[in-house]
Amino acid sequence: MTKKKAKVINEIKVSFPSLSENERFSRLAVSGFASQLDPQVDEISDIKTAVSEAVTNSIVHAYKNEIGKIELVARIYDDNKIYIKIKDHGCGIPDVKKAMEPLFTTSPEEERAGLGFAVMESFMDKLRVISKEGKGTSVILTKKLRTKLDK
Amino acid sequence: MGLKIYDEVEEKSKLTAFLSGEIDHHSAKEIRKEIDINVQKLNPTNLYLDFSKVDFMDSSGIGLVMGRYKLQSERGGKVFIQNPPPLIKKVMLVAGINKLAKIVSIDVPLSEMQKAKESAQNSDKLSVQAESAEISVQSGSSDKDNNSDENIKKET
Ligand SMILES: Nc1ncnc2c1ncn2[C@@H]1O[C@H](COP(=O)(O)OP(=O)(O)OP(=O)(O)O)[C@@H](O)[C@H]1O
Ligand SMILES: [Mg+2]
């Protein structure tokens, strides 16, 4: 059996300033884009939640004392997969493995739960975090949606 | 912000905050402030956070519940999560927040919600209602939510 490589059906690139009022925008942008795959309500909710986590992290952690640029790339593939990358050029994460542990947070005083990565991991199929101290962080989220036949 | 206080036989007092809309890092600040002002004013033993009209929540909402839990614990009180819709509850269970604040389903008469809403002038995100305690659901037995507890799963 030969494995066919999935084809990109659509791609968007959005960049926006790291203001908290843009958290909602980022979720809506991705959910609008994903609607082309005809997702179920729970799938859209999972994607919105994961995007909100990643974007919020860039706003509250990466650009803690400044306003920077957040770059979002989203792609959908003909095998019903969605790919989302959220990238910032903020402070970076010194120890990614540690940061991804549930309940680990560097901002407990701001009532952060330390569960953002745990939520992304559980709501998406795959989560990849690439970070360099002083350079920034990219979070890559992918999820395969149920096909119309499954629905 | 409208408040209603019934002082009946019960020594415990209850405050219900009806949250609505989307809870994220941006909106959480305001919601937190409104709840805390009213908790300070009314000093309830039990704080109920009603999520039935919440249509989005991320871990900022978890932080919000955790923060109220901490404050209530310091005052010797409790927090309950009331009527979360399925997709909101999913976030709560992934986070395991039901370990701190029990999830309860309570029939809220429409008229009560309407009253709380009408009297909420300052905020469209939150309305608050206070009354005496005595809620049957909280007394241990009807615990179906706790069986579905799910801890944070984490592979390394
Ligand atoms: N984009 C980023 N840039 C710099 N540091 C980050 C970034 N994303 C996450 N971190 C670090 O990783 C930690 C864990 O992130 P996570 O989202 O799991 O929890 P949190 O943001 O602290 O709390 P919560 O998401 O529950 O509100 C953060 O406290 C922060 O130190
Ligand atoms: Mg976070």
Side-chain angles (χ1 to χ4, degrees):
Chain A
M1 227 172 32
T2 48
K3 207 174 159 201
K4 190 173 114 251
K5 202 164 175 280
K7 193 177 90 193
V8 177
I9 302 175
N10 204 352
E11 178 181 87
I12 51 162
K13 292 184 184 177
V14 193
S15 85
F16 54 93
S18 62
L19 297 165
S20 66
E21 42 269 71
N22 294 334
E23 289 159 7
R24 182 161 189 274
F25 159 78
S26 68
R27 300 193 288 272
L28 293 181
V30 174
S31 93
F33 176 70
S35 67
Q36 199 172 346
L37 285 178
D38 199 13
Q40 303 283 83
V41 183
D42 63 317
E43 292 171 325
I44 276 288
S45 173
D46 290 354
I47 293 168
K48 278 169 78 175
T49 311
V51 167
S52 193
E53 296 295 352
V55 168
T56 302
N57 279 351
S58 295
I59 293 171
V60 298
H61 303 300
Y63 299 119
K64 201 177 170 86
N65 300 310
E66 56 184 320
I67 301 301
K69 197 161 95 175
I70 299 173
E71 292 159 30
L72 190 153
V73 178
R75 264 180 229 134
I76 50 181
Y77 293 88
D78 64 353
D79 63 352
N80 250 22
K81 226 184 236 150
I82 183 160
Y83 163 105
I84 304 155
K85 182 168 86 177
I86 291 116
K87 182 176 179 181
D88 65 60
H89 304 278
C91 66
I93 306 173
D95 184 345
V96 172
K97 204 169 164 218
K98 176 131 201 122
M100 288 175 77
E101 279 170 21
L103 302 176
F104 176 87
T105 180
T106 47
S107 329
E109 73 289 346
E110 284 162 51
E111 294 200 344
R112 312 255 38 113
L115 290 167
F117 281 130
V119 166
M120 290 183 243
E121 206 163 36
S122 117
F123 282 16
M124 302 296 283
D125 293 342
K126 267 195 209 137
L127 160 66
R128 234 183 110 204
V129 182
I130 305 155
S131 192
K132 203 161 182 193
E133 248 189 297
K135 283 263 195 282
T137 302
S138 292
V139 171
I140 296 165
L141 304 160
T142 56
K143 190 178 180 75
K144 186 163 174 140
L145 306 187
R146 294 186 290 261
T147 63
K148 294 196 180 73
L149 285 176
D150 302 335
K151 285 173 191 168
Chain B
M1 166 85 28
L3 300 162
K4 216 158 51 92
I5 305 165
Y6 297 123
D7 254 323
E8 287 172 16
V9 266
E10 298 296 326
E11 72 283 7
K12 285 183 188 167
S13 54
K14 169 188 170 187
L15 178 71
T16 306
F18 292 90
L19 318 186
S20 61
E22 307 194 357
I23 305 180
D24 61 9
H25 155 253
H26 182 67
S27 66
K29 250 175 277 170
E30 184 95 352
I31 299 172
R32 177 167 66 200
K33 208 167 74 194
E34 301 259 320
I35 296 174
D36 290 353
I37 287 173
N38 285 286
V39 166
Q40 271 193 341
K41 224 164 28 190
L42 296 157
N43 213 31
T45 311
N46 293 329
L47 172 63
Y48 282 73
L49 303 174
D50 183 289
F51 282 83
S52 54
K53 292 280 178 290
V54 173
D55 36 48
F56 175 84
M57 186 182 96
D58 63 19
S59 65
S60 305
I62 300 300
L64 180 87
V65 177
M66 276 170 78
R68 291 329 105 226
Y69 169 81
K70 240 169 90 188
L71 292 177
Q72 278 299 93
S73 299
E74 284 163 10
R75 306 169 54 258
K78 283 187 176 165
V79 177
F80 295 88
I81 295 166
Q82 179 171 305
N83 300 342
L87 292 173
I88 303 296
K89 189 167 164 182
K90 187 173 167 188
V91 182
M92 293 171 168
L93 294 180
V94 164
I97 191 73
N98 46 330
K99 294 268 156 60
L100 304 182
K102 191 187 268 180
I103 300 176
V104 296
S105 45
I106 292 173
D107 275 330
V108 181
L110 214 61
S111 58
E112 291 299 304
M113 274 185 73
Q114 198 54 39
K115 260 183 250 166
K117 199 170 177 183
E118 275 165 13
S119 50
Q121 300 143 345
N122 305 338
S123 164
D124 55 349
K125 293 252 190 287
L126 172 75
S127 54
V128 176
Q129 185 184 39
E131 59 182 71
S132 69
E134 234 293 279
I135 277 291
S136 50
V137 197
Q138 77 196 51
S139 55
S141 53
S142 62
D143 233 349
K144 55 180 185 299
D145 284 314
N146 276 13
N147 299 334
S148 55
D149 275 16
E150 214 179 290
N151 274 324
I152 302 143
K153 292 165 291 186
K154 177 91 203 198
E155 309 113 50
T156 27

